[in-house]
Amino acid sequence: VYITCPDETAARELGELLVVEGLAACANILPRLASIYCWKEELQRDDEALLLVKTTAQRLGELTERAVELHPYELPCVVALPITGGHRPYLDWITEQTDPDESRAED
């Protein structure tokens, strides 16, 4: 799931909560990106941070709802990108980490 945040601190806080709550297996932060968009009929140029979180299709709805609830933006960008393949053991790990019936050890 692709989520833009106002800065690295906000991305870190959101990513940590999503992982601790078991909605995401992993969160990656790209600390700086330039965003250009129109908001309320005005052109905006902002520096933001990109938060990429890995989850399953089964947890996507809950993750989206929680991310929007916690996000500081009025209209946060929370966009799901499908995983169409990859290293099977890693994909299995994502499923294990986000399974609400599994107990996860704290790292």
Side-chain angles (χ1 to χ4, degrees):
V1 179
Y2 174 107
I3 304 171
T4 54
C5 296
D7 55 39
E8 186 176 356
T9 300
R12 184 174 306 279
E13 289 172 359
L14 180 56
E16 286 178 1
L17 280 169
L18 294 174
V19 169
V20 166
E21 292 179 7
L23 297 171
C26 176
N28 302 114
I29 299 167
L30 295 145
R32 187 177 164 121
L33 67 114
S35 295
I36 302 167
Y37 57 96
C38 284
W39 180 248
K40 298 186 178 180
E41 300 182 25
E42 296 211 11
L43 184 64
Q44 305 292 319
R45 295 177 192 88
D46 290 315
D47 290 330
E48 295 181 296
L50 178 60
L51 177 62
L52 294 172
V53 294
K54 287 100 171 186
T55 193
T56 60
Q58 292 76 20
R59 297 308 297 266
L60 178 60
E62 292 172 87
L63 182 142
T64 300
E65 184 178 309
R66 188 70 169 132
V68 169
E69 176 185 315
L70 295 168
H71 205 287
Y73 287 167
E74 179 181 343
L75 182 65
C77 169
V78 180
V79 178
L81 305 172
I83 297 173
T84 60
H87 182 52
R88 176 52 46 199
Y90 183 80
L91 300 178
D92 291 344
W93 175 79
I94 292 173
T95 300
E96 290 166 13
Q97 293 301 301
T98 59
D99 183 344
D101 296 327
E102 291 286 323
S103 60
R104 287 175 305 282
E106 299 265 336
D107 289 328

